[in-house]
Amino acid sequence: MRLNKYLSGAAILSLISSCTYYIPLDNVNEPSKLVLYCYPGNGENTVVRLSRSLPVGSKNVPEFSAERAEVHFFLNGEEQPLQWTDDSLPGIPTQSFYRPGRLNDKDLVRITAAADEMKAVTSSTVVPAPFLADSIRMEREPSDPGKLLFRIHFTDRQDTDNYYAVRVECRQTNYLNGDYKEWIYAINFDLDKEPLLNTNSGLDDILMREENYYQDLYFWDDSQIRGKSYTLRLRANYLPDSEDTYDTPEGEVHTIYKYQYRISLYSLSEEFYKYLKSMNDQHNNELGKTELAPIRATYTNVTNGIGLVGGCRFTQTGWLDNLPAE
């Protein structure tokens, strides 16, 4: 047993020490690039955000005005007028271009932009069909009542490559002698029994690497379930609602703790999926953080620039009441 431990440790050290990387520094002094973000497909408006990058060591960079940029928005090959807002509007942040009106499944969006002395940029994406769940259930885990189980049943579309994501939030409300406080936070799930999301390999176990999803947004593609029906099973610790009254030196205290849950479902374009995957790879690159592996680049589909134009459809449940303790 001791010999196996020594061999495993030696193999890991050999693996790490044999890696030599050349990191080019030629692009440190690259000129500024346009940064473009747009997520077509959700809401009443399509927002286009534009800014500029700041290279390492840059000095005296001129102020950038997105409003003066030349931006063109094409929908299925036809140019659409864009509007500009200095102030925030419902669903639209300040200093943004936007195209009013909803988009449809399979709409092709292409955006071009040019500003100042920077290279013109272009990018495109296709609006995906929405994530249509056949059913969503919340229940106590039959084999472990201490676990809360979210069951999301859906059917994958066979005629296209599909990409999905899910995020579950908990709203915790506390009442202390009538005073009300509220917290909303995303849930971190136990994925040991969910093969679509559990991407750990044997090597990950050897290296003691834990796979986490950035900001608890769980995403997957349909390569394992093409055209099939599937039930996603997400497990978390069960937190029971409670009410209690007890005496303190300052007097009687009455407390109430309640938990509610909200499920957000996303259908993503391939570009959006690749962007999320690159962000997640960076988040889980522990060796890179200790300079034992190269830091992975963030994915972009903006030619000559930085950012993302990625289709996204979003649906959300209301707040679901907690399950009873018994």
Side-chain angles (χ1 to χ4, degrees):
M1 189 72 177
R2 181 179 300 175
L3 178 60
N4 287 339
K5 288 183 178 179
Y6 286 142
L7 287 176
S8 297
I12 294 171
L13 288 175
S14 175
L15 176 66
I16 293 174
S17 62
S18 64
C19 297
T20 302
Y21 295 101
Y22 169 72
I23 302 176
L25 300 177
D26 299 337
N27 59 353
V28 170
N29 292 319
E30 279 190 351
S32 293
K33 294 182 178 181
L34 281 175
V35 181
L36 171 64
Y37 283 99
C38 180
Y39 312 124
N42 207 70
E44 297 292 340
N45 304 284
T46 303
V47 177
V48 179
R49 302 295 307 277
L50 202 63
S51 60
R52 73 182 302 161
S53 67
L54 296 176
V56 175
S58 58
K59 296 180 180 179
N60 301 321
V61 177
E63 184 177 348
F64 177 73
S65 173
E67 185 178 10
R68 296 198 302 265
E70 183 180 344
V71 184
H72 299 278
F73 185 100
F74 298 90
L75 179 60
N76 298 322
E78 297 185 4
E79 185 168 4
Q80 306 286 310
L82 289 175
Q83 299 183 27
W84 169 266
T85 178
D86 282 316
D87 301 317
S88 62
L89 301 173
I92 304 173
T94 60
Q95 303 285 303
S96 297
F97 295 96
Y98 65 99
R99 183 262 182 190
R102 286 188 172 272
L103 300 179
N104 300 313
D105 303 355
K106 299 183 179 180
D107 276 347
L108 172 62
V109 172
R110 184 171 66 90
I111 300 173
T112 65
D116 301 336
E117 76 289 351
M118 292 172 285
K119 289 184 178 180
V121 300
T122 182
S123 186
S124 63
T125 191
V126 174
V127 176
F131 188 144
L132 297 178
D134 301 319
S135 65
I136 297 175
R137 293 178 57 191
M138 186 172 68
E139 60 187 47
R140 303 282 293 279
E141 174 72 78
S143 61
D144 184 0
K147 292 289 186 180
L148 188 62
L149 177 62
F150 296 86
R151 297 166 59 95
I152 303 173
H153 184 78
F154 66 99
T155 302
D156 179 67
R157 295 177 298 277
Q158 190 170 8
D159 58 334
T160 58
D161 294 329
N162 303 298
Y163 307 90
Y164 306 96
V166 62
R167 192 169 190 260
V168 180
E169 296 169 297
C170 175
R171 179 166 68 181
Q172 177 183 340
T173 54
N174 295 356
Y175 297 86
L176 177 60
N177 288 340
D179 292 335
Y180 171 88
K181 291 185 179 180
E182 175 182 297
W183 296 267
I184 296 177
Y185 52 89
I187 296 179
N188 182 267
F189 289 108
D190 174 5
L191 302 178
D192 287 347
K193 298 180 182 180
E194 181 43 70
L196 273 187
L197 298 174
N198 184 3
T199 59
N200 284 346
S201 66
L203 182 60
D204 294 329
D205 294 335
I206 292 173
L207 295 175
M208 295 181 291
R209 176 180 182 271
E210 184 177 356
E211 180 75 14
N212 296 305
Y213 281 82
Y214 182 61
Q215 294 191 354
D216 297 313
L217 177 63
Y218 296 83
F219 58 91
W220 67 97
D221 62 25
D222 67 347
S223 57
Q224 300 182 62
I225 56 168
R226 181 64 57 83
K228 300 178 181 179
S229 293
Y230 186 82
T231 300
L232 193 72
R233 295 171 174 85
L234 303 173
R235 292 169 173 82
N237 291 329
Y238 171 69
L239 301 172
D241 294 344
S242 64
E243 183 173 2
D244 192 18
T245 300
Y246 54 92
D247 293 323
T248 71
E250 290 74 27
E252 186 178 79
V253 175
H254 183 215
T255 61
I256 301 176
Y257 295 91
K258 289 185 175 294
Y259 302 90
Q260 294 176 300
Y261 299 91
R262 182 170 64 186
I263 302 169
S264 300
L265 302 174
Y266 302 82
S267 179
L268 310 173
S269 69
E270 182 178 4
E271 299 85 9
F272 209 132
Y273 172 81
K274 288 180 177 179
Y275 177 80
L276 283 180
K277 191 174 187 306
S278 72
M279 294 289 289
N280 213 60
D281 288 343
Q282 289 181 11
H283 178 65
N284 289 291
N285 188 11
E286 297 298 330
L287 289 177
K289 296 173 185 176
T290 57
E291 301 181 1
L292 294 176
I295 297 296
R296 302 175 184 181
T298 304
Y299 170 84
T300 180
N301 66 332
V302 179
T303 303
N304 294 329
I306 303 171
L308 174 71
V309 176
C312 176
R313 303 292 289 273
F314 166 78
T315 57
Q316 190 177 70
T317 68
W319 287 106
L320 308 176
D321 289 334
N322 198 15
L323 297 176
E326 299 296 335

